[in-house]
Amino acid sequence: MYLKSAYEIRDKYLRKDMLPTIFCPGCGIGSALQYTLRAIDDLGLNQDEIVWVSGIGCSSRVPGFVNFDGLHTTHGRALAFATGIKLANPDLKIIAFMGDGDAAAIGGNHLIHAIRRNLDITVILINNFTYGMTGGQVAPTALKGLRGTTAPYGQFENPFDIADLAVSAGANYVARWSVFNYLQGINSIKKALNKEGFTLVEFLSPCPISFGRRNRMKTAPELLRWYQKITVPLAKAKKMPPEELEGKIVIGEFADRDRPGLVREYEAYKKRAKKMMGWEE
Amino acid sequence: MRYPFPVGKSDFIQGDEAIARAAILAGCRFYAGYPITPASEIFEAMALYMPLVDGVSIQMEDELASMAAIIGASWAGAKAMTATSGPGFSLMQENLGYAIMTETPVVVVDVQRGGPSTGQPTLAAQGDIMQAIWGTHGDHSLIVLSPSTVQEAFDFTIRAFNLAEKYRTPVVLLTDAEIAHMRERVYVPLPEEIEIINRKLPANEEEAKFPFGDIHGDGVPPMPIFGRGYRTYVTGLTHDERGRPRTVEAEVHEKLIRRIIEKLERNREDIISYDAFELDDAEVAIVSTGIVSRSAVRAVKILRERGVKAGLLKLNTIWPFDFDMIEELAERVRKIYVPEMNLGQLYHLVKEGANGKAEVELIAKIGGEVHTPMEIVERVVG
């Protein structure tokens, strides 16, 4: 793959008047954003036919920085807004940039139902185990024992595995990487953008300021080393006994299928309705 | 255009059905909802009609999602509506505020039922007046219409879409279980008999750069809908004229919020609508809205027969509220009665409007039944 320079990608796709971003030093959102823009660029997608949607949180600020149509909505509701956009104008391609708290906690119900419907959308999910914008509260993805300001003695609840959830709920494409897996990340986003139906690419993303600092990993490199320790590639994980996978996060491609998306289903439904009413043969 | 119901003639239909038909004639092509009594029949009618007119009807996972979806659809260019009842309307308040902040034209029908909480699902009430006007957070304004007959439910639905599009704002059609489920004769007009207003679109690239700027001096910016190459950013955060978040500058916030409120305030005469009945020489006035107005009309007739110079002011718009008109009325009459199906919500507005110029008395009734005319008469004659 030929990689264009980051400056070229920046100049082509970012709103210069909105820079600098709100992201902290060492944050991984910029990387995930860059991979998404590179994927769009590589695929040669039309910038005017893509809408970015988001909820609330650090990653949800991304639609403000990119020079596309964008809807920055309420906390957790991005996919519900997107359902309206997509069904009202199926020609638009939709990218949702979401955080783990946004998607899996307050927006958990919207997430599973958007997947169940197979809403035609690509979700880029930033998972940093924390609520970064509000200062480091624990997220539903946080592994047991991780600290947050609302779990100062270490998380005692079980975490959500978002990729696993997405596969079970019926997503057409699901992949998870850390933001340090850049080639896999870009390739996954390209695959996701090329598919109809619900596609999701999750990135383990460093948040040194709100998360790392409270978990003895104050810098992005420290978080990188931790990701290397806790992530297991899917092929390897399949051969590992369950007790060895305890506390680990599997990365890789978890689903790649072609079930009909919501738009196609609704088009067929309209035809069926007209036929049943005798309006059409 | 072929319609899945008869047009240009009268039909004997329920209020909920009338709302659905009117929405389709007004150009609504996106409906998202969550079933709730007594609003479900609106959804069911939309589910039946929408695929036939190449529109969308979708059952969302909850009311939060329904409200979100219609806002998304509106930014994608569709006229969009949802319908619910009190508890569901409460869930919509978060995104109703988002629609106000982002100046998104949408129509929300609230078929009121007895509350609070799950209350009396099958019985009528007028307990959501305050929720409709002030339910969402922050300083804001929106339009609230209130029909009293099935024909008005039809007509006001068309008006709701027109006002939403004209002023780029959410409009609430506030009705109740009584009107929703009552069958009455309704004239469903031919499409060419209806005046349809569509949102103002940017005339050029330059205008599209200011989706939240008062570029025409009327407070209503043209709406650059998605997919037309304008690359518009829409946020619920306080934003400048270009839509860029500017959350800590007092001037930016004040300018934005004042414009959003004033675009409706300075068009009060266009938005506010009412019907006066026997008010010219009235000594006592009844001020009411919705279903109760029908009992009030009869009450006025009985009172006149008994020699009491009574009159009725029926409010078709609840918000913006015409405080000045109520004050003028208060100057002319001895007393104002406010019959309503709650323990005093419209009453507060009327009392504030009367400004001490006349005594204002509440005739409250809760439990699910509409006031009988005699209940109003007896309170007036003491």
Side-chain angles (χ1 to χ4, degrees):
Chain A
M1 184 197 307
Y2 162 72
L3 285 180
K4 279 187 185 169
S5 82
Y7 295 109
E8 218 175 315
I9 296 294
R10 180 196 68 185
D11 291 347
K12 186 166 176 189
Y13 294 108
L14 296 192
R15 297 183 208 270
K16 283 176 207 74
D17 64 308
M18 289 285 285
L19 301 177
T21 66
I22 59 158
F23 308 134
C24 306
C27 173
I29 296 170
S31 304
L33 170 59
Q34 194 190 134
Y35 305 158
T36 311
L37 294 174
R38 283 187 187 282
I40 289 171
D41 199 64
D42 272 8
L43 294 174
L45 299 177
N46 183 347
Q47 209 164 334
D48 292 330
E49 287 170 5
I50 297 176
V51 178
W52 294 56
V53 295
S54 65
I56 295 297
C58 300
S59 53
S60 294
R61 288 297 191 91
V62 157
F65 301 130
V66 296
N67 194 18
F68 292 76
D69 282 325
L71 200 63
H72 175 229
T73 70
T74 45
H75 193 30
R77 322 279 176 226
L79 297 177
F81 281 85
T83 309
I85 300 172
K86 186 69 192 177
L87 287 177
N89 184 356
D91 294 337
L92 298 171
K93 202 171 213 15
I94 304 186
I95 296 171
F97 232 85
M98 315 178 79
D100 48 342
D102 193 52
I106 188 167
N109 202 31
H110 305 309
L111 178 74
I112 58 173
H113 285 281
I115 300 175
R116 173 181 67 78
R117 293 185 185 105
N118 215 2
L119 170 68
D120 306 77
I121 191 168
T122 295
V123 172
I124 307 296
L125 200 143
I126 304 294
N127 182 358
N128 53 17
F129 309 110
T130 196
Y131 285 75
M133 185 168 265
T134 42
Q137 295 81 14
V138 75
T141 42
L143 306 176
K144 270 192 175 169
L146 288 177
R147 288 185 201 175
T149 57
T150 48
Y153 310 109
Q155 169 70 314
F156 57 91
E157 298 174 21
N158 296 316
F160 247 139
D161 182 326
I162 296 176
D164 202 21
L165 180 85
V167 173
S168 310
N172 264 356
Y173 182 79
V174 181
R176 172 164 54 214
W177 308 104
S178 91
V179 291
F180 302 107
N181 306 111
Y182 67 98
L183 280 177
Q184 293 97 323
I186 296 169
N187 282 329
S188 271
I189 298 171
K190 280 164 78 171
K191 265 192 182 175
L193 287 172
N194 262 342
K195 257 186 194 298
E196 77 172 270
F198 197 96
T199 58
L200 182 145
V201 183
E202 177 184 349
F203 284 101
L204 304 180
S205 172
C207 173
I209 305 297
S210 286
F211 170 77
R213 189 158 57 92
R214 295 194 171 81
N215 287 280
R216 298 197 178 85
M217 294 174 281
K218 285 184 187 166
T219 64
E222 283 174 273
L223 282 157
L224 161 65
R225 282 192 284 276
W226 180 58
Y227 290 161
Q228 283 176 329
K229 211 164 69 188
I230 63 161
T231 54
V232 181
L234 184 59
K236 192 178 167 195
K238 278 179 180 161
K239 294 178 208 144
M240 285 166 68
E243 57 274 15
E244 266 185 56
L245 279 170
E246 196 75 22
K248 298 271 196 285
I249 294 178
V250 181
I251 54 171
E253 277 183 337
F254 302 98
D256 188 350
R257 50 197 172 195
D258 295 295
R259 296 172 174 173
L262 180 62
V263 167
R264 188 143 58 106
E265 298 273 26
Y266 193 77
E267 287 306 315
Y269 179 74
K270 275 200 291 195
K271 277 206 173 71
R272 188 157 82 229
K274 286 176 186 168
K275 205 174 160 194
M276 284 172 76
M277 293 300 281
W279 281 32
E280 268 176 20
E281 282 307 302
Chain B
M1 172 84 205
R2 188 174 175 184
Y3 290 92
F5 45 79
V7 291
K9 54 175 80 165
S10 293
D11 209 346
F12 189 62
I13 53 175
Q14 282 190 333
D16 277 351
E17 172 77 23
I19 290 167
R21 291 187 190 185
I24 285 169
L25 279 165
C28 176
R29 288 296 177 272
F30 187 90
Y31 182 91
Y34 190 81
I36 184 169
T37 303
S40 296
E41 291 88 345
I42 298 174
F43 194 172
E44 286 163 359
M46 286 305 226
L48 203 57
Y49 299 149
M50 275 302 196
L52 302 173
V53 296
D54 285 315
V56 174
S57 170
I58 185 164
Q59 184 163 332
M60 297 301 288
E61 54 273 19
D62 55 34
E63 286 86 350
L64 301 145
S66 307
M67 188 67 210
I70 66 168
I71 297 170
S74 185
W75 277 98
K79 290 190 185 180
M81 180 173 95
T82 187
T84 187
S85 187
F89 192 43
S90 299
L91 293 178
M92 289 179 181
Q93 293 295 338
E94 178 200 40
N95 285 333
L96 186 63
Y98 184 89
I100 292 167
M101 189 57 150
T102 56
E103 300 174 72
T104 309
V106 285
V107 173
V108 180
V109 183
D110 176 15
V111 184
Q112 299 167 96
R113 63 190 220 183
S117 188
T118 33
Q120 295 179 293
T122 59
L123 299 178
Q126 293 182 313
D128 297 352
I129 292 174
M130 285 184 173
Q131 187 183 200
I133 302 169
W134 290 297
T136 201
H137 58 282
D139 296 294
H140 64 268
S141 187
L142 75 175
I143 297 172
V144 185
L145 306 179
S146 164
S148 67
T149 65
V150 178
Q151 182 72 56
E152 280 185 354
F154 183 95
D155 297 341
F156 290 10
T157 300
I158 290 174
R159 184 153 193 262
F161 277 96
N162 284 343
L163 290 171
E165 294 283 318
K166 189 171 182 182
Y167 296 112
R168 242 186 95 177
T169 190
V171 177
V172 176
L173 184 78
L174 191 65
T175 177
D176 67 80
E178 207 68 43
I179 296 166
H181 288 161
M182 179 184 353
R183 275 177 197 277
E184 285 188 300
R185 200 177 89 126
V186 173
Y187 179 65
V188 180
L190 292 164
E192 53 267 33
E193 292 175 80
I194 306 167
E195 190 208 359
I196 299 292
I197 298 173
N198 293 316
R199 68 191 67 171
K200 198 160 60 179
L201 300 171
N204 49 50
E205 291 278 335
E206 194 53 32
E207 282 197 5
K209 281 182 191 159
F210 302 98
F212 305 95
D214 189 8
I215 53 178
H216 292 157
D218 58 354
V220 188
M223 184 169 170
I225 60 180
F226 290 166
R228 306 253 170 119
Y230 296 127
R231 300 181 190 170
T232 306
Y233 178 55
V234 182
T235 176
L237 292 171
T238 291
H239 45 270
D240 63 15
E241 297 176 339
R242 302 182 65 191
R244 308 289 199 253
R246 299 274 291 276
T247 57
V248 293
E249 289 134 289
E251 332 65 86
V252 175
H253 184 77
E254 175 144 7
K255 193 176 171 194
L256 172 68
I257 301 303
R258 284 197 186 278
R259 179 177 58 74
I260 287 174
I261 291 173
E262 280 166 12
K263 74 178 174 182
L264 301 182
E265 279 303 311
R266 67 194 201 195
N267 288 294
R268 299 166 65 84
E269 280 182 22
D270 180 43
I271 299 166
I272 292 170
S273 150
Y274 59 88
D275 289 313
F277 179 66
E278 303 274 12
L279 263 186
D280 290 344
D281 62 338
E283 286 166 4
V284 294
I286 297 168
V287 177
S288 68
T289 191
I291 189 76
V292 178
S293 309
R294 302 171 67 148
S295 293
V297 169
R298 180 84 192 122
V300 166
K301 284 179 185 161
I302 297 169
L303 285 163
R304 288 266 167 182
E305 280 163 18
R306 294 186 180 186
V308 181
K309 284 188 174 172
L312 168 70
L313 180 68
K314 176 172 90 74
L315 304 176
N316 300 330
T317 318
I318 300 181
W319 197 264
F321 191 80
D322 201 337
F323 291 102
D324 296 340
M325 180 182 63
I326 299 290
E327 184 166 2
E328 281 164 32
L329 178 68
E331 279 164 359
R332 291 194 283 126
V333 299
R334 176 166 51 81
K335 195 164 176 179
I336 298 174
Y337 293 89
V338 185
E340 54 180 328
M341 293 171 71
N342 59 58
L343 294 181
Q345 296 199 10
L346 183 63
Y347 166 72
H348 287 289
L349 294 171
V350 175
K351 201 169 176 188
E352 189 184 337
N355 204 11
K357 306 278 166 58
E359 197 186 334
V360 180
E361 189 176 317
L362 168 70
I363 308 178
K365 185 171 182 180
I366 55 172
E369 282 179 9
V370 185
H371 301 64
T372 64
M374 283 314 290
E375 280 171 339
I376 300 171
V377 169
E378 277 159 19
R379 282 287 288 275
V380 174
V381 296

